[in-house]
């Protein structure tokens, strides 16, 4: 592999406790000859000293802005608003290729500085399959929160935990009434996680995937008490739930958990809300009568930060060890350039992957 300098940045979002690389895998990168710089971060589930013991150099939070130009800046969620011009190659979830709010602004910062976004959502194999994802834990937690809300046991603010403790709260208790549940997108990573959480809670959900959504029975969908959406559409499809469905007096649906949180995208299959929910206020009531509660937290796997980080890091590590201009990283670079062209942005002298 060519010489690589990875720079693991601090996440600016206070509720983001995950990391794309855990200390165990950091050691493997260093042993393979990767130069690894890790920023201090007060909320990251792993402490800086664990990375230092793995051979990384520790630097202050936010210092990536003055990193050497050839450094690859690695993170998960959104960048701070400054600098206005991004000169590095950045690896994170940009959410900017489907005309989401802020997409043009973010990509414009890259083209202005000559940097490149290597979006983790588009790190795929030659069949288009994601190579590293938090999907299982997103689905698991999306269903878990829906169960707790429907049973009246969800408390705010949400706090990070571990799977054993969460599972204890999911187990059906005396007095818990039976309810019907639906997982849409049940065969994917997120759908599998949702099904595992429902099983832990003693709930046997109906499972829909392409066959059931291709010719959607909306009445059957609305006749479930709880729905977890795990579908992230890549091409236009009719919405699963519409505004008029919320006002349907015969609607049985009471709790809606949206794992994908594709707010603002024209491909959103649940265009019935315009902003996500937060750890401090995880549930929003969309309708009073009949009641309908929404859970839509766009970093929900961070509630199980250790488990989700371990899994993601294990999947990302082989890709980082094979970092280069071709293969999956080349596809990431090409998708970035395509997105810039679609928005009419003139690409600067961005580097190869």
């Amino acid at each position: 592999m060519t010489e690589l300098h990875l720079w693991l940045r601090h996440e600016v979002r206070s509720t983001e406790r995950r990391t794309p690389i855990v200390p165990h895998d950091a050691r493997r990168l260093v042993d393979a000859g990767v130069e690894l710089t890790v920023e201090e971060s007060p909320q990251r589930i792993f402490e800086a000293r664990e990375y230092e013991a793995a051979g990384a150099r520790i630097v202050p939070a936010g210092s990536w802005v003055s990193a050497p130009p050839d450094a690859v800046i690695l993170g998960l969620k959104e960048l701070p608003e400054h600098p206005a011009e991004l000169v590095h190659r950045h690896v994170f979830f940009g959410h900017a290729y489907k005309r989401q709010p802020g997409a043009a602004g973010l990509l414009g910062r890259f083209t202005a500085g000559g940097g490149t976004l290597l979006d983790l959502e588009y790190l795929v194999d030659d069949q288009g399959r994601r190579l590293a994802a938090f999907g299982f834990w997103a689905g698991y937690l999306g269903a878990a929160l829906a169960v707790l809300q429907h049973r009246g046991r969800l408390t705010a603010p949400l706090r990070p935990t571990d799977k054993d403790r969460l599972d204890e709260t999911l187990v059906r208790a005396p007095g818990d009434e039976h309810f019907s549940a639906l997982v849409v997108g049940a065969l994917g990573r997120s759908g599998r996680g949702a099904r595992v959480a429902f099983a832990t809670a003693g709930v046997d959900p109906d499972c829909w995937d392409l066959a059931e959504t291709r010719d959607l029975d909306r009445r059957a969908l609305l006749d479930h008490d709880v729905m977890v959406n795990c579908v992230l559409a890549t091409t236009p499809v009719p919405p699963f739930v519409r505004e008029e469905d919320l006002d349907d007096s015969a609607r049985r649906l009471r709790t809606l958990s949206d794992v994908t949180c594709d707010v603002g995208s024209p491909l959103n299959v649940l265009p019935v809300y315009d902003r996500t929910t937060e750890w401090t206020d995880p549930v929003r009531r969309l309708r009073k009568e009949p009641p309908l509660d929404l859970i839509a937290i766009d970093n929900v796997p961070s509630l199980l930060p250790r488990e989700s980080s371990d899994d993601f890091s294990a999947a990302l590590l082989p890709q980082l060890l094979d970092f280069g201009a071709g293969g999956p990283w080349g596809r990431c670079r090409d998708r970035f350039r395509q997105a810039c062209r679609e928005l009419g942005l003139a690409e600067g002298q961005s580097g190869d992957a």
Side-chain angles (χ1 to χ4, degrees):
M1 86 184 258
T2 58
E3 190 171 315
L4 174 63
H5 182 185
L6 282 177
W7 191 292
L8 181 61
R9 64 174 169 87
H10 158 71
E11 299 288 339
V12 294
R13 190 187 299 203
S14 62
T15 59
E16 189 48 75
R17 295 175 56 84
R18 295 172 294 175
T19 177
I21 290 294
V22 302
H24 171 76
D25 293 329
R27 166 58 68 186
R28 294 184 60 185
L29 286 167
V30 172
D31 288 347
V34 174
E35 181 181 354
L36 181 62
T37 301
V38 175
E39 292 186 358
E40 296 172 332
S41 180
Q43 75 263 17
R44 188 188 293 131
I45 186 62
F46 299 99
E47 296 182 11
R49 60 179 175 82
E50 298 178 73
Y51 290 95
E52 188 172 32
R57 181 171 68 101
I58 308 303
V59 296
S63 56
W64 62 265
V65 297
S66 57
D70 64 343
V72 177
I73 314 302
L74 178 60
L76 287 176
K77 301 299 284 186
E78 65 273 3
L79 295 171
E81 294 182 359
H82 298 285
E85 298 182 357
L86 298 169
V87 302
H88 296 95
R89 290 168 291 175
H90 282 259
V91 177
F92 72 107
F93 291 100
H95 302 298
Y97 294 168
K98 293 188 288 185
R99 298 185 181 271
Q100 296 99 324
L106 175 64
L107 295 181
R109 293 169 66 190
F110 278 104
T111 56
T116 304
L117 168 60
L118 302 173
D119 196 309
L120 285 165
E121 185 177 338
Y122 296 85
L123 184 68
V124 298
D125 64 16
D126 54 11
Q127 301 297 314
R129 292 184 291 259
R130 294 270 297 275
L131 293 170
F134 286 100
F136 176 88
W137 294 108
Y140 186 91
L141 283 154
L145 296 182
V147 168
L148 295 176
Q149 171 63 17
H150 201 75
R151 288 176 173 169
R153 295 206 289 269
L154 187 63
T155 58
L158 301 178
R159 301 187 185 281
T161 185
D162 60 61
K163 184 176 181 295
D164 289 342
R165 292 180 182 177
L166 178 59
D167 285 353
E168 290 175 2
T169 69
L170 289 179
V171 173
R172 188 172 180 179
D176 285 340
E177 295 183 0
H178 171 78
F179 63 86
S180 61
L182 172 65
V183 178
V184 185
L187 299 183
R189 286 189 182 96
S190 296
R192 182 166 57 88
R195 287 185 283 124
V196 171
F198 275 128
T200 303
V203 177
D204 184 16
D206 289 331
C207 297
W208 291 7
D209 209 84
L210 286 175
E212 292 81 9
T213 57
R214 188 175 292 113
D215 186 18
L216 185 69
D217 186 342
R218 191 167 281 107
R219 181 76 267 154
L221 183 153
L222 298 174
D223 280 343
H224 292 86
D225 297 302
V226 175
M227 171 184 161
V228 178
N229 173 53
C230 298
V231 174
L232 182 63
T234 56
T235 57
V237 296
F240 297 161
V241 180
R242 309 160 302 180
E243 280 289 332
E244 54 263 41
D245 298 321
L246 305 189
D247 297 318
D248 185 343
S249 60
R251 168 177 50 80
R252 182 174 171 179
L253 185 65
R254 295 294 183 266
T255 304
L256 175 61
S257 180
D258 188 10
V259 170
T260 57
C261 298
D262 207 11
V263 181
S265 165
L267 303 182
N268 186 9
V269 297
L270 294 177
V272 293
Y273 68 99
D274 59 4
R275 66 190 191 280
T276 57
T277 61
E278 308 293 339
W279 289 31
T280 53
D281 191 14
V283 181
R284 180 177 307 127
R285 179 143 290 188
L286 296 180
R287 288 294 187 273
K288 292 183 178 180
E289 289 297 332
L292 178 60
D293 291 327
L294 168 75
I295 300 169
I297 301 171
D298 68 356
N299 71 329
V300 70
S302 197
L303 289 167
L304 289 177
R306 187 173 296 271
E307 292 90 341
S308 59
S309 294
D310 281 341
D311 283 358
F312 188 86
S313 178
L316 184 62
L317 176 66
Q319 310 310 318
L320 294 175
L321 289 172
D322 195 27
F323 190 88
W329 297 108
R331 285 188 282 271
C332 281
R333 181 200 59 226
D334 292 345
R335 186 62 184 88
F336 163 73
R337 292 174 174 172
Q338 176 188 341
C340 291
R341 289 194 300 269
E342 290 170 351
L343 289 173
L345 296 170
E347 188 182 359
Q349 298 301 311
S350 56
D352 289 336

